[in-house]
Amino acid sequence: MTRTRTLRLRSGSRSADMAGIALIVFGGTGDLTQRKLYPSLYHLAQRGRLPKGFSLYGVSRKTLTDKEFRRNIERDIRAFAHGKIDEKAVARVTGAAHYLSADLNHREGYERLEARLKPGTLRLFYLALPPRLFTPIVEHLDRCGMARALGAARSRVIVEKPFGYDYASGKKLERVLSAAFDEPQIFRIDHYLGKQAVQDLLAYRRGHPAFERSLDAGHVAAIRIDALEPGGLEMRGPYYDGAGSIRDMTQNHLLQLLAFMTMKLPRTSSAATIQSARAKVLKAVRPFRNRVDLLIGQYRGYHSEPGVDKDSRTDTYSSLVFEVNDARWKGVPILVRTGKRLTRKLTAVTIEYKPKQGKRHVFQLDPHPHVANEMGDYERLLLAAFDGERELFVSAAEVLNSWKAVDPFLKAAKRTKPILYRKGSLGPKGKTA
Ligand SMILES: NC(=O)c1ccc[n+]([C@@H]2O[C@H](COP(=O)([O-])OP(=O)(O)OC[C@H]3O[C@@H](n4cnc5c(N)ncnc54)[C@H](OP(=O)(O)O)[C@@H]3O)[C@@H](O)[C@H]2O)c1
């Protein structure tokens, strides 16, 4: 595959015009923050791409001094960043860091935060904490005049999935977000969109007109989207047990891959046209031939994972069959499969052609050949959020259309007992289309 870069992120281009950028991490001591956000900020600093006037505020309930917080960030960078440590880049991040101890359920913390933020800065509020806190935080930001009142140039909110639990709760969350922020202020992260390999998929479609012409029901017999991994829950038992593989992977990452492969190629690369092309195709996704064809499994030993209910029927493997109900794709089955504790790591999109057209075209996204100095997904996403580049983020319509597409499968999964499979195997044996 050609490695055409689809994105030209302009570090600090817009941010440099402002009084500076404050990244406020709600959940400043959490797992995601420690493993992904601080190391990514460090890598951006290493590349010289942290915006001018950058400051970082960590907020959580734990009591820490600024000095202790900076020491913790340094610890996380040393533990999770790659390559030889660049001490200057470490100092650039820790030197910009401040800490605020607050329970975000109470207004008083927001008032203290406001008092510490420099006037005129662009505030990026990153919700890196449990979803039950999203609603109170967004409402408090609004009531304290830190949301819509400031506009997109001064205030943005970054939200991590899960964006709800099903269509109804997703809609509720969107209502809360849109009551406080305008859509251009909301940056919903699906970290797959930050992966170079995923962006390359679109670049390949743009760069190969013959391939692009072969993408329709006349040529394609089936599409397969696989995200298989040997890993397990990695200490995220309570979250995963309440979610399962369809909510954790299919509703977001894998339906985004489906959208990248099947959407009408947008004429321009503006965020609005790309988001709207993805939303449009996701709106047409439904169970193949309106039949809920589903296979779910659970690996043996899942019940002894920390944080997992001993009677849990949560799916750690699922195989679903969709269809895009439009003129281009109608009748082509799209098999979406994901699972944990399987033989090997593989994320791939495979186009299976009809006999006359040739065999297949495989886009292997993971493992993916390492390109020297390639940006990591969170690095790219943070930079895009600083610069207000929205095409790497997911719109409300995309979220809701994806929930609509998986809801019938979630309902069926609830009634279905998962088939047990051996750890390190190919998954459960069973019948699916
Ligand atoms: N971890 C991942 O790999 C990952 C991947 C994708 C998405 N996500 C999503 O990212 C979000 C964060 O996940 P996580 O795994 O990092 O969670 P986590 O490790 O449980 O961290 C939660 C953070 O929130 C803080 N917090 C909890 N209640 C608070 C309150 N009332 N006021 C202020 N701070 C509070 C905690 O610190 P205190 O206890 O000190 O307050 C901690 O810093 C979740 O939405 C998750 O679904 C995580």
Side-chain angles (χ1 to χ4, degrees):
M1 189 193 302
T2 50
R3 299 195 58 75
T4 324
R5 288 190 70 84
T6 44
L7 288 167
R8 309 210 189 293
L9 297 178
R10 300 177 299 274
S11 166
S13 55
R14 287 178 212 173
S15 45
D17 306 336
M18 295 171 220
I21 289 187
L23 176 66
I24 300 125
V25 183
F26 290 146
T29 55
D31 174 69
L32 177 81
T33 311
Q34 294 176 349
R35 282 190 308 111
K36 300 284 184 189
L37 300 190
Y38 299 147
S40 299
L41 289 173
Y42 156 79
H43 286 303
L44 286 177
Q46 216 179 4
R47 294 175 194 274
R49 299 190 78 172
L50 268 190
K52 275 189 198 152
F54 172 77
S55 54
L56 168 68
Y57 291 81
V59 186
S60 62
R61 290 166 303 182
K62 188 175 284 162
T63 310
L64 289 176
T65 61
D66 278 356
K67 200 171 163 190
E68 288 165 330
F69 181 54
R70 290 174 185 155
R71 263 207 308 264
N72 290 354
I73 294 177
E74 185 171 341
R75 175 202 63 201
D76 300 333
I77 293 171
R78 291 189 193 284
F80 299 110
H82 35 81
K84 188 172 175 292
I85 290 294
D86 172 344
E87 300 299 339
K88 272 198 185 145
V90 176
R92 173 90 172 87
V93 178
T94 54
H98 313 267
Y99 184 77
L100 187 82
S101 168
D103 185 334
L104 289 161
N105 283 306
H106 305 297
R107 182 184 175 110
E108 169 272 331
Y110 301 83
E111 288 167 350
R112 276 191 293 125
L113 175 66
E114 178 66 63
R116 285 187 71 177
L117 293 172
K118 249 199 337 217
T121 49
L122 162 63
R123 294 109 181 257
L124 284 169
F125 299 105
Y126 198 126
L127 308 191
L129 23 63
R132 66 185 147 77
L133 288 161
F134 290 1
T135 299
I137 290 176
V138 168
E139 288 175 350
H140 277 300
L141 286 172
D142 193 26
R143 282 189 213 119
C144 295
M146 297 165 98
R148 175 173 290 127
L150 295 178
R154 294 276 318 284
S155 166
R156 297 175 193 156
V157 64
I158 305 177
V159 195
E160 275 281 350
K161 67 150 197 170
F163 309 119
Y165 187 75
D166 53 14
Y167 177 75
S169 54
K171 197 153 183 197
K172 219 162 149 186
L173 173 63
E174 288 306 333
R175 242 183 256 129
V176 170
L177 284 169
S178 65
F181 290 94
D182 291 325
E183 182 67 14
Q185 296 179 281
I186 308 171
F187 290 69
R188 299 173 194 79
I189 287 196
D190 180 323
H191 73 95
Y192 266 43
L193 268 55
K195 287 181 187 284
Q196 185 62 50
V198 174
Q199 293 300 325
D200 282 346
L201 230 161
L202 200 55
Y204 190 88
R205 286 187 59 188
R206 286 193 197 287
H208 295 78
F211 172 73
E212 183 59 23
R213 281 194 299 276
S214 77
L215 289 184
D216 60 27
H219 298 80
V220 176
I223 299 178
R224 277 208 329 263
I225 299 174
D226 291 313
L228 316 175
E229 55 176 318
L233 305 190
E234 289 162 359
M235 307 310 294
R236 301 189 70 217
Y239 154 74
Y240 192 88
D241 200 39
S245 67
I246 301 174
R247 287 188 181 88
D248 187 48
M249 292 293 294
T250 310
Q251 185 270 341
N252 35 77
H253 309 319
L254 304 186
L255 283 183
Q256 279 294 329
L257 290 183
L258 185 155
F260 267 72
M261 206 67 246
T262 57
M263 71 179 172
K264 185 163 182 273
L265 214 46
R267 286 228 178 89
T268 70
S269 51
S270 84
T273 52
I274 292 181
Q275 286 186 337
S276 125
R278 292 194 307 242
K280 193 168 174 202
V281 82
L282 287 167
K283 193 170 181 191
V285 175
R286 62 171 190 186
F288 183 58
R289 295 198 170 127
N290 281 328
R291 232 186 79 213
V292 178
D293 201 349
L294 167 82
L295 174 70
I296 58 170
Q298 186 184 78
Y299 62 79
R300 289 185 192 279
Y302 174 74
H303 291 152
S304 9
E305 298 278 8
V308 167
D309 192 295
K310 70 177 178 29
D311 300 317
S312 171
R313 284 166 62 148
T314 295
D315 49 292
T316 61
Y317 176 102
S318 55
S319 173
L320 285 60
V321 191
F322 293 103
E323 170 179 40
V324 174
N325 186 27
D326 66 12
R328 184 175 186 171
W329 290 109
K330 197 174 166 68
V332 177
I334 305 175
L335 286 80
V336 179
R337 193 165 58 127
T338 183
K340 288 192 178 291
R341 291 276 185 223
L342 301 173
T343 341
R344 63 177 179 133
K345 176 107 188 137
L346 177 72
T347 309
V349 179
T350 306
I351 311 290
E352 299 278 1
Y353 286 106
K354 289 184 171 170
K356 272 198 213 150
Q357 315 295 333
K359 286 187 178 155
R360 60 170 64 134
H361 194 120
V362 183
F363 293 88
Q364 185 166 314
L365 308 171
D366 200 4
H368 196 250
H370 180 71
V371 174
N373 216 20
E374 185 170 292
M375 267 199 185
D377 44 9
Y378 274 90
E379 259 181 271
R380 189 174 281 116
L381 290 164
L382 283 168
L383 196 52
F386 294 152
D387 280 348
E389 306 265 11
R390 296 175 48 73
E391 66 268 31
L392 292 193
F393 298 88
V394 181
S395 66
E398 289 173 81
V399 169
L400 295 180
N401 293 345
S402 304
W403 277 124
K404 257 196 184 144
V406 298
D407 256 12
F409 293 98
L410 289 171
K411 284 191 186 115
K414 208 172 164 191
R415 298 188 299 266
T416 313
K417 197 169 170 212
I419 301 170
L420 294 178
Y421 62 94
R422 193 172 49 77
K423 283 184 196 171
S425 71
L426 293 169
K429 291 190 184 76
K431 201 177 103 16
T432 187

